[in-house]
Amino acid sequence: MAAKNGADRPNFLVILVDDMGFSDIGAFGSEIETPYLDALAHAGVRFTDFHSAPACSPTRAMLLTGTDHHIAGLGSMVEVVRPDFDRPPGYEGYLNDRVVTFVELLRDAGYRTLMSGKWHLGDTPATVPAARGFERSFALLPGGADHFGGSPLDRAVVRGPIYIEDETFVTELPEGFYSSDHFTTRLLDFLEEGRGDERPFFAYLPFSAPHWPLQAPDAEIAKYRGRYDDGPDALRARRLDRLKDLGLIAEDVVPHPVVTEAPEWDALSDAERADSARAMEVYAAMVDRIDQNVGRVVDWLKRNGRFDNTVILFLSDNGAEGAIVEAMPIIGPLFSRLIREHCDNSLANAGKPGSYIWYGPRWAQAATAPSRLTKAYTTEGGIRVPAFIHYPTAARAGEVSGEFATVMDVAPTFLDLAGVAHPGENYQGRPIAPVRGRSFAGWLHAGADRIHPPGTSTGWELFGRRAIRKDHWKAVYVPGADGRSRWQLYDLAIDPGETDDLARAYPARLEELLALWRRYVEETGVVEDAISIFDADPEAWAQARPLQAAAAPA
C-alpha cells in the first residue's frame, strides 16, 4: 500500500504499562480509579483475547517489529541468561539487525517519532531508541528501576547511567522525579516541540509502572488506605464478579485455582497482613497515577485538535508480576541483602522513597483471574493482557471483542493505517525478517470478520515454558507448575482458566499441536536447552556466575 498524504494519515499513541494484570483498570473490572483509561476503553474496542509474550523485553521486541522475539534478539531476557551461554542469532539480548522497527518505517515515511519511558531493548549507542527510529526520546534502558530515582539497588544489576535522552546519557534526574510523571512530561515536551510541524506523529509512552519496586506519591497511596484489608482472595472474588457484570468473561467460567506456596491470608499475622495490604495499596496508587498521566496526554491532544485523528493503543507487556523476588534463584539472596542494608520497608515507609517492595503471587492472581498463573508463564495468566484500541472512525468502536490477537499484530496494523508498506525481507540493503503478525486495520473498520484466519497457529516460549495455540486449542508445557512437567491440552473456548487438561482425552489433537510446535521452533530458532536461572540448575548457574561477582551498589 502506498503511503497516504497529509491529513489522511492518523497520529498514533501507544501506552504500554509494565506488569499490569488483566483486571487492573476500571473498564476491565478493577476498583482502582482510572477514569481516563476507562473513557478511552469504553469508546474504543476492548480485547478479551489479546496476547503478549510472557515477560517485558520479549513483548517490546514483538511490539516494535511485528515478529517473534526469538528472531528479533530477545529470545530470552539477557539479565537471567547463563553467562556461559553461547548466544546464537535471536538471543543477542538487544533488538538486532535482523529486524526493522515499524517506527523506522514511519519515520522514513515522514512521521515524527517520539518516545518517553522504558526501553529494555539495548543499552549501547547502537541499540538505544535513537538508533531504532525515534527522532526524540527519553528512555529508561534496563528492565526496571527505583521510581523516585537514585536507589542504590539500581546499581545491583546495572553499571553506568540507566537513562538516556536521544543520544546523551543522563546522569542526574530532576528534583521531585517520579517515573510516570517524568516520562509523561518529557513526551508532552516532545509533542509541544512539534506543534508547528505538519507531520503526523507516532508517540510511544511505555511506563515502567507498576513494575516493582512498588512506589507511589503519598496522596495516591492514601486514597487506597484500608481498601484491601480483607486480602487477595476477597479481591479476586470481587474482580471476577465485576468481569462478569461487564461481559468480559462468561457467567459460568471456571477460574483456575491460585497456584502458590505463599501462606493463606488467614495464616498471616496481623503485622504480615498489614504489610501485604499496604503493598497492594501502593500498587493501586501506581495504576491510579498512570491514569492521571494518561489524562495529561489526552488533554493535550484535545487542546491541540489532535485527539480525533489519533489512534490510541493501550496494553500491558505481560500478566501481573507474581514473583516473590527474595525467593528467586541466585538473584533473590542478593536483593534481600541489599534491601536489608539500604532500604526502609517498614509499614510507615512502604511505597515511599527508600523502600523496595513487591506484592507477591496471591495479589497477582487476583488480577489475572480467571486465568492460570502470572507473568513469566506461557499459561493465559502470563500472556493474556488488558488491551484496547481507541480510534473514533473505527466501525467497531464501543465493542467488547473476543477476537484473538497478539502484540505482533500492532506493527502491521499501524503501517496499514498509515499507508506504509513493510519492506518485506530487505531494508536499506540488509536482510530482515518479515512480520509474523497480521494487520487488524480491516477488521477494525468491519471490512473483515476475523483478524487471523481459521487454522492460524501461534507459539510462545520463555524460560523453558512453552505453548502453542491453534484456534481455540492450546497446548502448554510448564515444567514444575502444579507439579506437572508434561504437555497439557486445553480447549480455551470452554475452559479459559486452563483447568481441565484434555491431553489424554484427545491425543491426536495434542500431537497435531506438537507438530505445529516443532515447526514454530524451526521457524523462530527457539533454543530448547535450559539457559536461564529459571530453567537451569541453580547450583550450576551459581558456579558459572558466583553471587559475589554481581555488581554491588555504587
Side-chain angles (χ1 to χ4, degrees):
M1 182 184 294
K4 297 178 181 178
N5 294 315
D8 292 334
R9 297 190 292 177
N11 307 301
F12 299 101
L13 169 63
V14 173
I15 303 164
L16 184 68
V17 291
D18 199 346
D19 294 356
M20 182 180 284
F22 183 77
S23 64
D24 275 334
I25 67 171
F28 282 78
S30 182
E31 70 295 330
I32 302 172
E33 296 177 25
T34 54
Y36 284 101
L37 288 169
D38 295 347
L40 293 171
H42 285 292
V45 179
R46 280 176 288 169
F47 291 96
T48 61
D49 202 16
F50 195 98
H51 289 76
S52 66
C56 41
S57 54
T59 290
R60 291 156 202 271
M62 294 163 71
L63 170 69
L64 293 178
T65 67
T67 194
D68 192 273
H69 62 98
H70 298 90
I71 295 171
L74 280 300
S76 188
M77 294 180 65
V78 66
E79 300 91 338
V80 297
V81 169
R82 288 178 56 114
D84 58 344
F85 174 54
D86 186 13
R87 301 177 192 172
Y91 285 79
E92 293 88 349
Y94 56 83
L95 208 58
N96 62 30
D97 287 336
R98 300 168 69 201
V99 293
V100 61
T101 70
F102 77 87
V103 184
E104 293 172 280
L105 302 178
L106 290 178
R107 178 203 59 193
D108 295 348
Y111 271 74
R112 295 183 66 234
T113 52
L114 317 170
M115 173 193 165
S116 184
K118 174 177 164 178
W119 178 240
H120 205 191
L121 293 173
D123 58 8
T124 66
T127 60
V128 298
R132 298 315 301 251
F134 287 98
E135 195 173 306
R136 295 301 317 274
S137 58
F138 178 86
L140 169 67
L141 296 176
D146 186 289
H147 294 281
F148 290 108
S151 170
L153 269 72
D154 291 348
R155 298 276 72 77
V157 290
V158 180
R159 290 194 181 277
I162 62 175
Y163 291 94
I164 192 168
E165 182 155 330
D166 300 330
E167 297 174 324
T168 303
F169 287 101
V170 175
T171 56
E172 291 187 16
L173 297 172
E175 185 177 352
F177 176 90
Y178 179 68
S179 68
S180 298
D181 296 349
H182 192 73
F183 294 157
T184 305
T185 294
R186 292 307 289 138
L187 184 68
L188 291 172
D189 291 342
F190 299 154
L191 288 167
E192 276 290 322
E193 291 172 1
R195 278 213 297 165
D197 194 325
E198 295 183 356
R199 292 179 296 164
F201 64 78
F202 169 77
Y204 181 37
L205 182 56
F207 291 101
S208 58
H211 189 291
W212 54 268
L214 303 184
Q215 296 169 315
D218 288 344
E220 276 68 45
I221 298 174
K223 288 173 64 174
Y224 296 93
R225 191 63 50 81
R227 186 81 62 95
Y228 303 105
D229 286 354
D230 53 357
D233 291 340
L235 177 64
R236 193 173 198 254
R238 289 194 295 271
R239 292 274 187 93
L240 286 167
D241 286 343
R242 183 61 179 151
L243 286 167
K244 293 174 184 178
D245 292 343
L246 291 170
L248 300 177
I249 60 174
E251 288 286 342
D252 60 352
V253 70
V254 178
H256 197 282
V258 173
V259 181
T260 181
E261 295 180 359
E264 297 276 356
W265 187 252
D266 290 344
L268 299 177
S269 68
D270 289 345
E272 289 170 331
R273 284 196 293 268
D275 286 341
S276 182
R278 179 59 47 80
M280 183 61 208
E281 292 166 8
V282 177
Y283 180 90
M286 296 177 80
V287 175
D288 188 312
R289 192 73 167 205
I290 287 171
D291 183 74
Q292 293 176 47
N293 280 292
V294 169
R296 294 171 62 198
V297 180
V298 169
D299 289 347
W300 187 95
L301 294 173
K302 290 180 176 179
R303 286 197 313 272
N304 289 277
R306 310 300 286 270
F307 180 73
D308 289 338
N309 194 37
T310 297
V311 180
I312 302 175
L313 174 70
F314 171 89
L315 71 158
S316 179
D317 63 353
N318 44 246
E321 171 63 273
I324 303 175
V325 179
E326 66 267 32
M328 286 184 178
I330 310 303
I331 293 175
L334 173 64
F335 269 91
S336 295
R337 174 174 64 80
L338 294 174
I339 288 170
R340 287 194 304 271
E341 293 174 356
H342 298 281
C343 300
D344 176 5
N345 283 351
S346 64
L347 182 63
N349 197 60
K352 298 181 179 183
S355 67
Y356 213 93
I357 63 172
W358 37 86
Y359 70 175
R362 291 192 178 275
W363 293 111
Q365 288 176 81
T368 58
S371 298
R372 175 186 174 198
L373 287 167
T374 54
K375 173 186 174 179
Y377 290 95
T378 51
T379 54
E380 291 296 283
I383 60 175
R384 188 179 75 124
V385 297
F388 65 78
I389 188 164
H390 180 275
Y391 191 21
T393 65
R396 297 186 184 275
E399 288 188 9
V400 171
S401 175
E403 188 69 10
F404 172 77
T406 84
V407 69
M408 290 187 294
D409 300 330
V410 174
T413 299
F414 280 18
L415 292 174
D416 201 356
L417 291 171
V420 176
H422 190 278
E425 298 185 12
N426 186 283
Y427 176 69
Q428 296 184 348
R430 76 172 193 264
I432 59 168
V435 296
R436 290 175 68 87
R438 186 176 178 87
S439 171
F440 55 83
W443 176 86
L444 272 178
H445 291 297
D449 294 333
R450 301 283 300 274
I451 295 176
H452 293 271
T456 298
S457 62
T458 304
W460 293 265
E461 187 279 333
L462 193 66
F463 310 142
R465 299 155 184 174
R466 309 163 188 173
I468 187 78
R469 174 170 170 171
K470 177 183 176 184
D471 300 327
H472 54 88
W473 288 96
K474 180 182 175 188
V476 183
Y477 178 84
V478 181
D482 306 22
R484 294 176 283 187
S485 293
R486 58 178 173 77
W487 281 97
Q488 302 150 37
L489 178 68
Y490 299 100
D491 182 353
L492 298 180
I494 58 174
D495 182 24
E498 296 173 325
T499 62
D500 185 13
D501 179 8
L502 300 174
R504 290 189 174 89
Y506 296 96
R509 177 71 69 181
L510 177 60
E511 185 50 46
E512 176 192 7
L513 287 172
L514 294 185
L516 293 172
W517 166 258
R518 291 188 287 272
R519 187 177 77 182
Y520 169 71
V521 169
E522 181 178 352
E523 291 176 350
T524 61
V526 169
V527 174
E528 296 187 271
D529 297 332
I531 62 172
S532 81
I533 64 172
F534 296 109
D535 60 352
D537 177 66
E539 291 186 8
W541 202 92
Q543 291 172 5
R545 181 186 180 185
L547 181 61
Q548 60 266 28

